Amino acid sequence: MAGQDAGWSLMSRRTLGSLLVGILLGLSTGVFLGWGPFPVEYKNSALSALAPHYQEEYTVMVAEGYRVDPEVNAALERLRPLGKENTIAYVIDLTERYISQSNIRAIPIMVALVEAIIGPDNLPPVMQLYRPTPTATSPAPPAP
Amino acid sequence: MATSKHVRIGKGISWVALIVGVALGLAAGLVYTWEIDPVIERNTAPWQLSDAAREDYVVAVALSYAANQDLLLAVDRLRAAGPNRNVWEMVAEIACDRVKTGKTISNSDIRVIRALEQLYAPQGASGCADGLYPTPAPMVFSTPEPVMSPTPTLVPPPSKTPTLPPPTPVTAGDVRLTNTPAAGVYVLGRLQSFCDPDQSGVIEVRVYDRRGEGVPGVPVTVTWSGSERDSFFTGLKAEREAGYADFVMEAGRTYTVSLPGLASSSPVVEAVPCTAQDGRRATTSYWVNFQERAN
């Protein structure tokens, strides 16, 4: 009898130990998979949740659309779902970043929108060079 | 010895317990990472957007395409928004939804519908927005061309004693005082479209002074098709308002409303089809209000 009890005790300890080891293994694997290769994939997301790359592309698309639909308020309304605290400041910052990155394609598009939003007189000096229609007093754009 | 096989296999490991443990742990781990503490939502791709956000995204793609005419770029962007569907049908559906939900109030809305149609229609897709808002014909500014006349006709010399026509008597009742303002006096106060089958395609112009009272006698000019124009005065329909005037548009044309002394740019309106709330079709009408500047 004593031998049988000892056997059961040994069995339950081994079972319990194996179970705990298994749980630890499974838990670590599950956490790794759930945060790593297979994270939650959200659907029904808002534009504000878009990856920064897509948000910037969206902003450029809206700015480009301003050439077709030249209504500043409509353009700002389209940018509002991005959820920026200050949409105008965001557009200006992005434009300045494109200028610093020499993003030739996006710069004139964005500058045109910034000019429409804040007015030609308030355009930052760095953007004056890239105005679509520079004034006579504007300095000439730098030579390539 | 009475031991079951699964208890002592190998070096003291219960494989069944281990497998059960792994399964439990895996389930718990996934529940924790997917439900309790999921990855913070960021780096979302366009295909994960909600319907409303996807509509915004597709509208931006269409407007961008209308500006740059880069079809490959537009396709890439649309595929990002709907990778497993016909992107052209997706665009057509969005245009149709916008029409059905009444997003055709402003000129901006109409430009969006046109941009969407410009994107999907050439690709063979179709929807309920097809042809509702055709792009107006471009305005052609006619410039008189000089005509060479090979045989100029000599003008007879004027008579030495011209006979003046008898002066036309002017009565006080014939004199119409016009209220021509100085430059920069008025600004556009309101530009809004409305759809009323009983007043189809009407531009209702109202001119107000700085106190908000209607100003009669202000000449209003409406131009269309480049060289066509019509001028009329406010206040001729005194039964409406003192500063009121209206003009009936022809469907499918674009009109510019201006008056002397306008500081802002002249508003442009388009006589596009619309559907009233009762389902009747009409041409869009507009309220165009001009307001005298405060200083």
Side-chain angles (χ1 to χ4, degrees):
Chain A
M1 259 331 249
Q4 201 172 16
D5 287 345
W8 279 111
S9 174
L10 182 64
M11 182 189 73
S12 60
R13 267 188 297 168
R14 283 175 181 161
T15 304
L16 195 62
S18 299
L19 191 66
L20 285 175
V21 169
I23 286 174
L24 284 176
L25 276 176
L27 199 61
S28 54
T29 307
V31 168
F32 169 74
L33 293 176
W35 280 344
F38 304 108
V40 174
E41 284 190 344
Y42 288 93
K43 291 181 181 175
N44 296 321
S45 299
L47 280 171
S48 56
L50 274 180
H53 159 70
Y54 286 116
Q55 288 198 17
E56 290 166 11
E57 188 177 22
Y58 177 80
T59 307
V60 173
M61 286 193 286
V62 169
E64 203 161 26
Y66 174 72
R67 288 159 53 186
V68 179
D69 179 23
E71 296 199 20
V72 177
N73 288 333
L76 287 174
E77 275 303 313
R78 291 183 187 116
L79 292 175
R80 210 172 299 283
L82 289 176
K84 303 297 177 188
E85 195 173 334
N86 185 331
T87 305
I88 296 174
Y90 160 72
V91 173
I92 293 172
D93 289 346
L94 183 60
T95 306
E96 288 177 345
R97 186 145 55 81
Y98 281 151
I99 290 173
S100 68
Q101 295 169 349
S102 299
N103 188 331
I104 301 300
R105 185 185 160 273
I107 289 172
I109 297 167
M110 294 297 295
V111 168
L113 181 60
V114 172
E115 183 179 359
I117 293 172
I118 65 176
D121 297 336
N122 301 319
L123 208 59
V126 69
M127 295 186 198
Q128 294 279 355
L129 305 173
Y130 302 98
R131 289 179 63 185
T133 53
T135 58
T137 55
S138 298
Chain B
M1 192 157 172
T3 53
S4 61
K5 283 183 181 175
H6 70 271
V7 173
R8 293 194 63 179
I9 299 174
K11 297 178 180 177
I13 297 174
S14 168
W15 289 102
V16 171
L18 188 68
I19 291 169
V20 169
V22 167
L24 286 174
L26 196 62
L30 291 177
V31 166
Y32 182 76
T33 55
W34 285 352
E35 299 292 336
I36 298 169
D37 186 17
V39 174
I40 295 171
E41 185 182 10
R42 60 186 170 208
N43 293 330
T44 300
W47 66 267
Q48 294 171 280
L49 293 173
S50 65
D51 289 343
R54 182 179 293 114
E55 179 182 321
D56 290 339
Y57 182 87
V58 171
V59 164
V61 172
L63 287 172
S64 173
Y65 170 72
N68 63 27
Q69 297 293 310
D70 189 339
L71 189 60
L72 289 178
L73 184 62
V75 171
D76 284 344
R77 287 166 167 170
L78 290 173
R79 279 194 182 140
N84 298 320
R85 51 188 302 197
N86 184 326
V87 292
W88 310 122
E89 287 178 2
M90 177 176 71
V91 178
E93 285 171 13
I94 286 173
C96 187
D97 288 344
R98 288 182 73 89
V99 171
K100 283 180 179 172
T101 53
K103 291 180 181 172
T104 53
I105 302 295
S106 65
N107 285 339
S108 186
D109 292 335
I110 291 164
R111 290 188 195 108
V112 166
I113 298 292
R114 283 182 185 146
L116 291 167
E117 188 176 359
Q118 189 183 347
L119 189 53
Y120 72 75
Q123 310 306 324
S126 61
C128 70
D130 291 358
L132 283 181
Y133 300 99
T135 304
M139 290 192 286
V140 179
F141 293 89
S142 59
T143 52
E145 295 181 5
V147 178
M148 300 290 287
S149 60
T151 53
T153 307
L154 294 175
V155 180
S159 61
K160 291 179 181 177
T161 53
T163 307
L164 294 173
T168 307
V170 177
T171 59
D174 292 336
V175 177
R176 184 186 299 279
L177 292 174
T178 58
N179 209 344
T180 306
V185 168
Y186 288 108
V187 292
L188 180 64
R190 182 191 193 191
L191 174 59
Q192 187 175 342
S193 62
F194 64 97
C195 190
D196 184 355
D198 298 328
Q199 285 185 292
S200 183
V202 177
I203 303 174
E204 294 191 354
V205 181
R206 290 174 177 83
V207 180
Y208 297 106
D209 63 13
R210 64 188 65 179
R211 292 171 300 172
E213 295 179 1
V215 183
V218 176
V220 180
T221 303
V222 175
T223 54
W224 68 96
S225 300
S227 56
E228 301 288 325
R229 68 170 53 220
D230 190 10
S231 293
F232 46 93
F233 294 89
T234 57
L236 295 180
K237 292 187 175 178
E239 70 277 8
R240 294 290 298 263
E241 284 178 56
Y244 174 85
D246 57 27
F247 177 85
V248 179
M249 299 184 287
E250 201 174 311
R253 293 187 183 278
T254 302
Y255 296 83
T256 303
V257 185
S258 62
L259 71 167
L262 184 60
S264 55
S265 58
S266 301
V268 178
V269 298
E270 295 173 283
V272 292
C274 64
T275 305
Q277 288 184 341
D278 58 6
R280 286 190 291 166
R281 305 279 296 164
T283 301
T284 305
S285 299
Y286 295 88
W287 290 303
V288 183
N289 293 4
F290 296 101
Q291 180 74 43
E292 189 180 6
R293 277 180 160 182
N295 50 15

